[in-house]
Amino acid sequence: MSSTNTRALGILLGFTADRFLGDPRRYHPVAGFGRTASRLETRVYADSRINGAAYTAILVGSTAVLGLAVERLTRTHPLLHTAATAAATWTVLGARSLEREAETMATLLEEKDIPGARDRLSHLCARDATDLEADELARATVESIAENTSDACVAPLLWGGIVGVPGLLAYRAANTLDAMVGYHSPKYENFGWAAARLDDVLNLLPARACALLTGLMSGRPAETVRVWRRDAPKHPSPNAGPVEAAFAGALGLTLGGTNDYGTYVENRGTLGDGPPPAVPDIRRTAHLARRVGLAATAVAAFMSWRKRWV
């Protein structure tokens, strides 16, 4: 079996593991990476872009080197290479966990447990949920599912298809750092700049691929592309904009608005033409996200099968 075939098979097996098992419940490597990043931050932190760039380069670079070593050591051993790719894919994907969070939010809101839903929203995003009611909680959930379908599913799969294990691990490292230090706050405005910009660059292609797959898998490709092209520029994020606009068009909803993140308020524009999300739209969004993930897996496996060793 050729190395490209083992990479494709590993991606398929890793995605299957994520679908049936979700994230590892104990000793999750991504959680371990986060702890390492936190310890390093205490040593190198300064309100400086230079320090933040060095911090990001050390963590993402060392993770990429680890992935490259795994690729090189297993390249002549088909079973090991398949297993390594499958394990890396399973480790970095968060599609099933995202779906479970969507199901939990939907259930809480269907049962009119608003306090419980407010508390649970922190598992999906960093918005201040203190005063959010059912419809606003539904909007936050729908938008988070859309954005994380790209970040936690499509992007790692595509980087795995392009580069293999180094792409899977390095992308997840960069995306994790962005979540940790790449947001707007007095503490991280400078230190987190490099992590945020790297995450933006790594998601440029996957976000647009996710938007395209969203249109194809929804059965509304023309409307999805129309809303995507018209409304994505209104969003402050170059990558969340296309994805959220595509989901708005695919679902026939209007997303966006003003979001309070505690330390700052952000206007995300108005995306789409339909009604605002309601509680039943959470499950619709999760079902669409699942189909997009399946399509992205097929694309990544095909890319792997067609590609020679890096």
Side-chain angles (χ1 to χ4, degrees):
M1 182 182 294
S2 73
S3 58
T4 50
N5 289 344
T6 59
R7 180 183 294 176
L9 179 58
I11 287 173
L12 292 172
L13 290 174
F15 178 81
T16 302
D18 179 69
R19 285 303 315 163
F20 284 96
L21 302 175
D23 287 336
R25 297 194 178 276
R26 298 181 65 186
Y27 310 115
H28 197 307
V30 176
F33 174 84
R35 289 190 292 270
T36 299
S38 295
R39 287 194 291 269
L40 180 61
E41 181 188 342
T42 63
R43 298 188 177 190
V44 305
Y45 175 81
D47 187 16
S48 161
R49 287 187 177 185
I50 293 176
N51 286 53
Y55 168 81
T56 301
I58 290 169
L59 289 166
V60 177
S62 60
T63 305
V65 168
L66 173 63
L68 185 60
V70 170
E71 282 276 15
R72 298 303 184 188
L73 289 172
T74 61
R75 64 185 302 176
T76 58
H77 304 280
L79 289 179
L80 285 177
H81 187 248
T82 299
T85 305
T89 303
W90 176 37
T91 296
V92 304
L93 288 183
R96 182 63 182 120
S97 294
L98 176 64
E99 187 175 326
R100 285 173 176 164
E101 288 300 328
E103 292 166 353
T104 299
M105 284 294 292
T107 298
L108 288 169
L109 290 171
E110 287 162 358
E111 294 174 350
K112 304 188 185 307
D113 184 358
I114 302 301
R118 288 171 177 164
D119 289 340
R120 193 71 186 185
L121 186 64
S122 63
H123 291 245
L124 283 169
C125 64
R127 297 184 200 183
D128 184 353
T130 304
D131 298 319
L132 298 186
E133 298 298 334
D135 285 351
E136 279 297 301
L137 289 164
R139 177 172 76 86
T141 303
V142 167
E143 291 172 357
S144 297
I145 295 170
E147 183 174 357
N148 284 294
T149 296
S150 180
D151 289 354
C153 184
V154 175
L157 285 168
L158 293 188
W159 280 112
I162 294 169
V163 190
V165 175
L168 289 162
L169 299 186
Y171 172 79
R172 178 50 63 206
N175 189 247
T176 301
L177 290 184
D178 179 59
M180 293 177 66
V181 304
Y183 53 89
H184 295 288
S185 74
K187 180 177 181 179
Y188 291 126
E189 195 67 35
N190 288 314
F191 185 77
W193 179 86
R197 298 293 77 75
L198 177 61
D199 185 72
D200 284 344
V201 170
L202 292 180
N203 278 293
L204 282 173
L205 174 63
R208 285 142 186 85
C210 182
L212 181 60
L213 292 175
T214 298
L216 293 174
M217 300 312 294
S218 69
R220 292 164 52 96
E223 179 65 8
T224 300
V225 171
R226 184 185 70 82
V227 174
W228 164 17
R229 294 182 63 183
R230 186 193 68 190
D231 292 344
K234 302 176 186 177
H235 198 291
S237 168
N239 298 318
V243 175
E244 291 185 25
F247 267 78
L251 294 166
L253 298 173
T254 293
L255 302 179
T258 300
N259 299 335
D260 187 346
Y261 292 92
T263 58
Y264 68 100
V265 175
E266 183 176 76
N267 187 336
R268 294 197 164 191
T270 301
L271 316 175
D273 298 312
V279 173
D281 293 313
I282 294 175
R283 295 192 188 275
R284 289 179 61 218
T285 308
H287 292 158
L288 176 56
R290 181 192 305 175
R291 296 195 296 273
V292 171
L294 288 167
T297 304
V299 171
F302 179 75
M303 292 168 64
S304 299
W305 179 67
R306 296 283 298 177
K307 188 174 179 62
R308 296 183 177 181
W309 274 92
V310 297

